[in-house]
Amino acid sequence: MTPKWIEEPIHFEPHRPRLVFRTVWISDTHLGTPGCNAEILLDFLKAIECETLYLVGDIIDGWQLRKGWYWPPRHNDIVRCVLKMAKHGTRVIYVPGNHDEVFRDYIGLHFGGVEILPEAVHVTADGRTLLIVHGDEFDGVVLYARWLAFLGDSAYSMLLKLNAALNRCRRMIGKPYWSLSGLLKKKVKNAVQFISSFEEAVARAAFERGANGVVCGHIHTAEVRQIGDVTYYNDGDWVESCTALVEHADGQMEILNWAERKRNEASAAAPIPRIS
């Protein structure tokens, strides 16, 4: 029997104008962790309409859930919103990553209208082929030193908790979301070198497969970059930057920074101080 909530309208605010896209890609939401910016993510999902939604891995953080259960109501709302989109006509394709690798045991199955695939090939409106992968298969740390990956994940989780505490304080004083972890990543030379090597490895694999481009996540760094004959797209994440990759009706691709968009909306709505 279908639950009543799934028959309800997709969006909780039907009066709100929606942004219409041909395709949307999101990844690295890390539901099940305090680092997930669930409020911003839910706001984004409520604001869009698309023909196809790709969930490009690390949607649910199984690594953290094994350590301790964390699942607030907002994380349920996100799952429900995605399932409603699938129910009401959006094709939803889920390509699991390393943090939600348990779903790789269910490749080829459908859950609530969500297709689970190991990877996908997307054809844009202007005829380009894009390989869709999470990207952990190109991460040497994950492949060859799994214990180091878990150690790094623990340190990163601590940083995200600090980031969450900082933003709670910012909200108390009326300041918008800001990513401490994202700033630190940009400042660390080794991280920059890793990101560059990762991007080149992913683009090389796409070229060998005959694709015009590749879309991935995994490294929490949104990017559009031409690497040889391949266009590299990374849709970013929802624990630091709060970004998504979107395709417009004509095939044009764009990174949407939803946190920045909300900051701009907040600034525009703020009253202009009077000069006495």
Side-chain angles (χ1 to χ4, degrees), residues 49-119:
E49 182 178 310
C50 58
E51 295 176 18
T52 306
L53 172 65
Y54 285 96
L55 307 174
V56 195
D58 287 1
I59 302 302
I60 297 174
D61 197 322
W63 288 13
Q64 289 300 315
L65 288 174
R66 283 198 295 266
K67 297 175 184 177
W69 189 256
Y70 178 86
W71 196 268
R74 269 293 178 254
H75 293 206
N76 267 342
D77 292 339
I78 290 166
V79 173
R80 290 172 61 169
C81 191
V82 170
L83 291 177
K84 282 184 182 181
M85 291 175 73
K87 174 69 176 180
H88 291 270
T90 298
R91 185 185 182 194
V92 181
I93 299 173
Y94 187 0
V95 177
N98 50 307
H99 283 257
D100 49 11
E101 60 192 351
V102 64
F103 290 105
R104 288 173 172 165
D105 293 336
Y106 302 98
I107 293 296
L109 299 181
H110 291 60
F111 289 95
V114 177
E115 305 172 48
I116 303 180
L117 299 175
E119 60 182 45

Side-chain angles (χ1 to χ4, degrees), residues 45-261:
L45 292 173
K46 286 159 53 177
I48 65 166
E49 182 178 310
C50 58
E51 295 176 18
T52 306
L53 172 65
Y54 285 96
L55 307 174
V56 195
D58 287 1
I59 302 302
I60 297 174
D61 197 322
W63 288 13
Q64 289 300 315
L65 288 174
R66 283 198 295 266
K67 297 175 184 177
W69 189 256
Y70 178 86
W71 196 268
R74 269 293 178 254
H75 293 206
N76 267 342
D77 292 339
I78 290 166
V79 173
R80 290 172 61 169
C81 191
V82 170
L83 291 177
K84 282 184 182 181
M85 291 175 73
K87 174 69 176 180
H88 291 270
T90 298
R91 185 185 182 194
V92 181
I93 299 173
Y94 187 0
V95 177
N98 50 307
H99 283 257
D100 49 11
E101 60 192 351
V102 64
F103 290 105
R104 288 173 172 165
D105 293 336
Y106 302 98
I107 293 296
L109 299 181
H110 291 60
F111 289 95
V114 177
E115 305 172 48
I116 303 180
L117 299 175
E119 60 182 45
V121 175
H122 175 79
V123 180
T124 62
D126 54 3
R128 292 174 296 126
T129 57
L130 305 179
L131 176 66
I132 317 298
V133 294
H134 175 63
D136 60 295
E137 56 267 55
F138 303 97
D139 184 343
V141 173
V142 173
L143 287 175
Y144 302 114
R146 192 172 178 82
W147 66 270
L148 186 59
F150 277 104
L151 179 63
D153 181 65
S154 297
Y156 185 58
S157 296
M158 290 180 64
L159 179 59
L160 290 180
K161 288 178 181 178
L162 177 61
N163 194 68
L166 172 64
N167 276 287
R168 279 196 296 271
C169 295
R170 287 176 63 84
R171 283 196 299 271
M172 290 173 64
I173 60 174
K175 296 290 186 180
Y177 175 81
W178 176 76
S179 177
L180 169 65
S181 50
L183 175 65
L184 292 177
K185 180 187 289 185
K186 291 178 182 178
K187 297 294 184 182
V188 178
K189 182 179 180 181
N190 287 344
V192 174
Q193 291 176 340
F194 165 77
I195 289 169
S196 179
S197 298
F198 173 87
E199 292 172 347
E200 290 168 4
V202 174
R204 190 180 311 115
F207 176 77
E208 292 171 354
R209 299 277 294 276
N212 302 116
V214 61
V215 179
C216 64
H218 187 55
I219 59 172
H220 296 201
T221 304
E223 184 69 85
V224 178
R225 177 185 170 199
Q226 191 68 30
I227 304 176
D229 295 327
V230 173
T231 308
Y232 168 91
Y233 300 97
N234 193 303
D235 59 21
D237 68 282
W238 292 85
V239 296
E240 295 178 40
S241 57
C242 301
T243 53
L245 176 69
V246 300
E247 178 195 3
H248 294 275
D250 60 358
Q252 178 187 350
M253 306 282 282
E254 179 187 3
I255 294 287
L256 288 187
N257 187 320
W258 205 250
E260 181 178 321
R261 186 186 184 96

